[in-house]
Amino acid sequence: MLRRRPPRAASADDLLTTLGRLTAQAREGAELQRARVELAEVLQREMLPGALPELPGLRTAATYAPARHGLAIGGDWYDGFPLPDGALAFSVGDVQGHDVEAAAFMGQIRIGLRAVAAHAADPGEVLSRANDLLLSIDCELFATCTFVRFDPRSWELASARAGHVPGVWATTDRRWGLAEDPGGIPLGVLPGQRYPVTRRRLTAAGAFVLLTDGVIEGPKFPIEDGLAQVVRLVSAQAGDDPDEIAGAVMCVAELTGHTDDAAVLVLSHDAAGRGAG
């Protein structure tokens, strides 16, 4: 009967060689991941607008923070741009993915929304057309989004949501709440979707705040608690400078211990009749 010879015990040199090889592989993998994260962050920041449009009686501000540990960068955005009819459009959104692919997809969504909005005045139609456009490029990623249109003639804010977290509003006459408008499913999931539109005439001065879930959700906070914290902050600062409001809201992300990137967009407005004049 043949017996197998026991395996030769590994020498110290063999163990050191193996350990060195595994260490080198781990270092290469870590360096590659770090390079991808850095590239995603650069892409993210370069794709975000350098300035947001404003009008007399409407002041704007926005801020973005990368993920706390640098591993979930690339999906969140904010944007603002003038429309051909004199209105202003704003969007906030979150690609459900991370790294370079998410950053690139985010750029495609922003460009798609701008292109569609130039030919569709209704925010719901903008999201519907953008949804079909994204599906046509055959990408496995999808995104949540809120798109709003500010009309300086009627002093009306029209908004539509695609699976996105609600916005927060507050007025200087001590009213506040969540903009929990009816919405549709995220962009890039199913064709032929329709997105309801909610219209608000801004009869009192105040602030309308759009944000991504990276601001209000984290290991330390459920999303409901994060939203409640933002409502308290915005209601207390409704008449403040929009940059101050944006900074205060972003501080909520630090409280939640966020592991995702985060974006905040603030529209500070006068009452109807004052700014429109």
Side-chain angles (χ1 to χ4, degrees):
M1 180 176 182
L2 294 176
R3 294 184 178 181
R4 291 185 178 180
R5 183 176 298 174
R8 181 177 62 88
S11 68
D13 288 343
D14 291 337
L15 291 174
L16 288 174
T17 299
T18 301
L19 180 60
R21 176 172 52 80
L22 294 175
T23 300
Q25 291 175 350
R27 184 183 298 114
E28 290 175 1
E31 290 175 352
L32 177 60
Q33 174 63 18
R34 183 164 57 251
R36 289 179 65 87
V37 168
E38 290 173 356
L39 176 57
E41 185 170 0
V42 169
L43 283 172
Q44 175 86 348
R45 292 193 180 278
E46 289 299 317
M47 289 179 183
L48 295 176
L52 294 169
E54 295 185 334
L55 290 169
L58 180 74
R59 300 164 303 285
T60 60
T63 184
Y64 165 80
R68 177 180 291 269
H69 301 297
L71 297 176
I73 293 171
D76 289 18
W77 84 86
Y78 62 82
D79 199 10
F81 51 95
L83 295 170
D85 63 358
L88 300 180
F90 300 93
S91 69
V92 163
D94 180 5
V95 174
Q96 298 305 299
H98 303 111
D99 209 335
V100 179
E101 291 80 4
F105 189 60
M106 178 270 287
Q108 292 175 316
I109 295 173
R110 281 191 58 234
I111 293 171
L113 287 170
R114 284 183 173 232
V116 170
H119 304 283
D122 181 83
E125 185 179 355
V126 171
L127 291 185
S128 181
R129 291 189 185 183
N131 176 62
D132 290 340
L133 178 62
L134 292 175
L135 285 168
S136 71
I137 66 176
D138 195 25
C139 179
E140 294 183 358
L141 298 177
F142 62 92
T144 66
C145 175
T146 295
F147 187 90
V148 302
R149 182 181 189 274
F150 174 75
D151 189 332
R153 293 174 295 275
S154 62
W155 217 245
E156 179 184 81
L157 196 68
S159 62
R161 287 198 300 156
H164 202 64
V165 296
V168 173
W169 62 270
T171 60
T172 54
D173 60 2
R174 307 299 296 171
R175 292 180 292 124
W176 60 82
L178 294 175
E180 295 182 293
D181 314 331
I185 66 174
L187 304 177
V189 178
L190 292 173
Q193 296 301 299
R194 296 292 176 262
Y195 298 89
V197 177
T198 300
R199 304 181 188 278
R200 297 176 175 84
R201 191 162 189 269
L202 306 177
T203 57
F208 192 83
V209 180
L210 300 173
L211 62 159
T212 60
D213 58 6
V215 178
I216 53 177
E217 185 178 30
K220 301 177 183 177
F221 269 64
I223 196 167
E224 296 80 8
D225 290 353
L227 272 172
Q229 184 72 13
V230 172
V231 169
R232 284 192 291 271
L233 284 170
V234 177
S235 64
Q237 299 183 236
D240 290 357
D241 180 86
D243 283 305
E244 294 180 6
I245 298 174
V249 172
M250 186 58 79
C251 285
V252 175
E254 297 305 315
L255 293 175
T256 65
H258 70 107
T259 56
D260 200 353
D261 52 348
V264 177
L265 173 64
V266 178
L267 310 179
S268 292
H269 55 85
D270 292 344
R274 291 180 57 190

